[in-house]
Every structure is written in structure tokens, then in C-alpha cells.
Amino acid sequence: MQIRDAVIVVTGGASGIGRAMARRFAADGAGSVIVADLNAEGATTVADELAAAGVGSRGVGLDVTDPDAVAAFIDASEAEFGPIDLWCGNAGIGANGGVELADEIWDANWNVNVMAHVIASRILVPHWIERGGGHLLLTASAAGLLTNLGTAPYAVTKHACVGLAEWIAITYGEKGVGVSCLCPQGVRTPMTEADGELAIEVVKAMGMIEPEDVADAVATGLANDDFLILPHPEVSTYEQRRAGDRGRWITGMQKLRATLPGA
Ligand SMILES: NC(=O)c1ccc[n+]([C@@H]2O[C@H](COP(=O)([O-])OP(=O)(O)OC[C@H]3O[C@@H](n4cnc5c(N)ncnc54)[C@H](O)[C@@H]3O)[C@@H](O)[C@H]2O)c1
């Protein structure tokens, strides 16, 4: 996937990892970078910054879980900037807690972390097949390959996000649809700012990196057409250990959990 001259959408681009990716794509010569976020003001601020640097950009208020709004957004973006080459489905939310959490919280995690990607892919994949190419980057998480202690909705929906990315890659890869799945561990963003929540304390204890480090890994991963982009390389080892002996991995995670404050 070549960034130079590409038309790129970044959802959840108003802050954190999305903003760092948008800035990195602009610096790497993207043709245009469209920033979409529930936070319209934040998206506009980022887009204005990129436009000031000479990159075609627009910040748009968008709820990625609203199918009609996403369809209208894709139409308007393509009318203004041309066919979308790269869609970064990056907007995501978390929750602190387990199966006791209310259905509304489970539904929100499911809708943002999984269904938003289905909604966008349903429109973009047929476009890309017709045009002979396009690339989907989904921001899942290391939680989607392993787990995230302290948050069931996040761990479960990020697993589904990885599964969706794999399924689209397998089904449409030979038709020109590239797919990358971004799976960071802890990243210093507004999402990981809270203190005292087990899910976040675990991530902090594992070692935090900056959003710009994630954007570096994304730039390299896209240039190499990697499916899995792992800004924390150790996640690959953890994943292999999990796959090698699931029972042993679960026992290890139980022991780790028992050592954590608030567990
Ligand atoms: N921070 C981490 O440690 C970490 C680790 C692994 C994966 N991730 C993933 O990275 C992605 C970006 O998160 P971040 O850490 O940069 O956090 P963030 O809170 O800075 O960014 C998330 C953005 O998504 C937007 N958003 C939420 N719901 C939306 C919706 N319905 N429609 C449109 N936009 C919406 C928010 O307004 C926010 O700007 C998420 O998918 C997250 O799950 C984060």
C-alpha cells in the first residue's frame, strides 16, 4: 500500500492513534487525508493543521456506527477528493468490567469496535473490487489477539475485529482488497488516561508507547503490505505462546491477574 498521493480516511482521527496516523500519512505525501470522528471539533482541528501543511484535508463529524451517515460521508468524501484508497477504521471505545456490565455497554463496544467496520466494508469492498484495489486498515488491539484483563467487552469485540479483518483478507484479497490489522498494546492516549481502572492499569504496567510510535509501525506495515501490524513486537511471542498451549497460557494469565491491584 503506497501512501504517496493516496486518498485516505482515518476514523477516530481527532486524537490519539488516529491523529498520529493522519499526521504521519500527510507527512509521507498522502494526496488527501479525511479525518472523521464523533468529536467534530477535534477532527476539524486536525484537518486544519494538515491543510495548513498543504495536504488536502477535511475534518468531519461522523458516528461510525450510523450506516446512513457513513454512506453519506463516503459519497461526500469521494466527490470532493476522489476514490478512497485507504480506509483506517480506527475509532474505538473501551469499558472497565466484565460480564456484569449492562447490555448498553456491550452493545456500544460491539457497534463501535466491530459493526462500524462491517458498515464501512459493505460499501467500500465492492467499490474496491470494481476499481481493482483498495486497502482497509482496522485498529484492533493486542487485546484482540490475547486478551485484556479487566475488560470483557473490549477483549471480546477486539477479537471479533481481528476475525473480521482476517475474513475480509481471505475472501477479497485476490480481488485486490488489501487488509491490515493494527494490534498495539498500551499507547498513551486519552483512552488510557484514567487511573485506577484494572483494564487500564494492566496496559500501563505492560509498558506504554506513544501514538507516533504506532504511526511509525503503521507506515512500515502498510509499505510491506503486512496483515498484522504489531507496534509492540513482543505481542507476536505472546500470541505464539497462547496458540502453542492455550491451557498453559490461561493459567499464566490467571497468575498474572492475581498479582494485580484490585483483581
Ligand atoms: N490506547 C491504547 O492503549 C490502545 C491499544 C490498542 C488499541 N487501541 C485502539 O486504538 C484506537 C484509537 O484509540 P486511542 O487510544 O487513540 O483513543 P482515543 O480515545 O484518543 O481515540 C478514539 C477516538 O475514537 C472516537 N470515537 C469513538 N466512538 C466513535 C464513533 N462512534 N464514531 C466516530 N468516532 C468515534 C473518539 O471520539 C476518539 O477521538 C481504538 O480503536 C482503540 O481501541 C488503543
Side-chain angles (χ1 to χ4, degrees):
M1 168 72 218
Q2 193 175 314
I3 296 305
R4 181 154 292 283
D5 297 329
V7 175
I8 301 173
V9 169
V10 182
T11 75
S15 77
I17 293 169
R19 179 173 62 189
M21 287 199 293
R23 287 175 172 160
R24 177 61 188 255
F25 295 144
D28 286 352
S32 28
V33 180
I34 305 140
V35 181
D37 202 295
L38 211 48
N39 172 2
E41 198 184 326
T44 304
T45 302
V46 175
D48 287 350
E49 174 197 318
L50 306 186
V55 180
S57 190
R58 181 161 304 287
V60 179
L62 176 71
D63 180 351
V64 293
T65 68
D66 178 341
D68 292 340
V70 171
F73 167 75
I74 290 174
D75 278 351
S77 298
E78 296 203 325
E80 183 172 4
F81 295 104
I84 294 166
D85 299 301
L86 168 62
W87 177 279
C88 300
N90 169 78
I93 59 170
N96 189 46
V99 292
E100 76 283 358
L101 289 171
D103 286 357
E104 292 73 29
I105 295 175
W106 278 93
D107 288 347
N109 274 255
W110 180 251
N111 286 330
V112 180
N113 295 344
V114 185
M115 286 312 294
H117 307 317
V118 174
I119 288 165
S121 304
R122 195 181 275 151
I123 300 168
L124 292 164
V125 167
H127 284 195
W128 287 337
I129 291 171
E130 198 185 313
R131 294 174 192 154
H135 201 99
L136 180 70
L137 180 139
L138 299 188
T139 305
S141 167
L145 298 171
L146 307 163
T147 192
N148 192 341
L149 299 174
T151 170
Y154 190 76
V156 169
T157 57
K158 290 297 186 176
H159 268 266
C161 178
V162 173
L164 177 68
E166 286 173 346
W167 193 91
I168 293 172
I170 290 165
T171 308
Y172 301 112
E174 287 185 354
K175 296 186 171 134
V177 178
V179 183
S180 297
C181 187
L182 172 61
C183 295
Q185 226 165 227
V187 187
R188 209 166 280 111
T189 71
M191 184 179 261
T192 52
E193 257 169 13
D195 284 322
E197 292 185 7
L198 178 60
I200 293 175
E201 292 305 323
V202 170
V203 166
K204 286 182 186 164
M206 305 287 281
M208 303 288 275
I209 63 172
E210 302 302 325
E212 292 72 26
D213 300 323
V214 178
D216 283 349
V218 167
T220 304
L222 288 175
N224 294 337
D225 281 329
D226 289 339
F227 174 77
L228 212 48
I229 300 180
L230 300 178
H232 301 72
E234 63 270 27
V235 169
S236 174
T237 308
Y238 301 154
E239 197 196 10
Q240 283 166 40
R241 283 189 196 141
R242 173 178 178 268
D245 187 338
R246 196 73 68 108
R248 189 162 174 224
W249 178 79
I250 288 173
T251 305
M253 293 302 284
Q254 288 167 338
K255 285 184 183 153
L256 172 63
R257 193 177 191 286
T259 66
L260 295 168

